[in-house]
Amino acid sequence: MRMPFARQPLRQATRWLAVAALTVAGAGVAAPSAHAADSTTCTGTTQVDYSPGLTLTPQNVTVSETDSVPTCVSTDPGITGVITSPYSFPVPNASCNNVQLAPGNVLVIHWNNGRSSTISGLTYVTTTTAGITQTTGTGTVTAGEFTGATGVLTWIQALVNPLLCLTPGGLTSQNGTILAQITG
C-alpha cells in the first residue's frame, strides 16, 4: 500500500501511443508502430510507519508508507520501474490484532516512462499463513497506460511481533515486499 502508487482521488489521464519513424538515406522508412503494452510485473520493498504505534487497544492511526519499486518487466520496453513518493492515509480502529492497510479504492501508479495508470474499484483481501500477512488489492485500470487491464497489488509482511504491542509506544513500523501486476 505504498506510494509508488499514489492513492488519490481519481484523476483523468491521457493514454499515449508511441509511433516511431526512421529516415534512411533521404527515403522515409517508417519503423513498426509501438503497441500498447499488455502486461507488466514490478517488485520492490515497502516500509509502513504507524502513528501512534499499534497496541492491543483499537485506536485511530495514521499510516505512512514509503515504497521502492525499482524493477519492472513489461511488454512496454520503456517501463523499467515505478516512480514512488511517501504517502499517508488514516486507518480507524487499528490495533495489533486488526489493522487493514487498504488506502482506498483508487490508486495511481506513476511509471518511470512519464506515464501513469489509474486503478479503480480496488477491493482488498488480507490473508495470514505461516507468520506472513498478505494484502492483495484487485481493480481495473480506468485511465492512462494499460486502460482496461486488470491491476493486482500485493503487500507481503511478517506478522506483528506481539511483544511490541505491549510496549508503551506500541508497534511503530513494519517492512515488507510489494508486487504490482498489470495484465490485459
Side-chain angles (χ1 to χ4, degrees), residues 43-62:
T43 57
T45 60
T46 184
Q47 177 173 334
V48 179
D49 296 313
Y50 305 104
S51 179
L54 297 175
T55 64
L56 296 176
T57 304
Q59 61 186 330
N60 294 334
V61 171
T62 297

Side-chain angles (χ1 to χ4, degrees), residues 66-139:
T66 303
D67 299 320
S68 173
V69 186
T71 306
C72 293
V73 175
S74 179
T75 54
D76 177 343
I79 293 178
T80 59
V82 175
I83 305 300
T84 63
S85 58
Y87 65 101
S88 298
F89 56 95
V91 178
N93 299 314
S95 70
C96 282
N97 296 327
N98 181 29
V99 60
Q100 294 292 321
L101 297 179
N105 67 350
V106 176
L107 183 131
V108 179
I109 298 175
H110 299 279
W111 306 108
N112 69 297
N113 65 359
R115 299 178 184 156
S116 63
S117 295
T118 300
I119 304 174
S120 301
L122 282 161
T123 57
Y124 297 91
V125 174
T126 299
T127 58
T128 301
T129 306
I132 301 295
T133 298
Q134 177 175 309
T135 300
T136 301
T138 304

Side-chain angles (χ1 to χ4, degrees), residues 134-153:
Q134 177 175 309
T135 300
T136 301
T138 304
T140 300
V141 179
T142 57
E145 186 133 7
F146 310 115
T147 296
T150 298
V152 179
L153 305 156

Side-chain angles (χ1 to χ4, degrees), residues 3 7 62-65 86-90:
M3 185 55 204
R7 297 165 192 186
T62 297
V63 174
S64 299
E65 188 172 330
Y87 65 101
S88 298
F89 56 95

Side-chain angles (χ1 to χ4, degrees), residues 2 46 132-135 154-158 175-179:
R2 319 357 177 193
T46 184
I132 301 295
T133 298
Q134 177 175 309
T135 300
T154 304
W155 294 269
I156 302 168
Q157 296 170 320
N175 295 312
T177 58
I178 188 168
L179 172 68

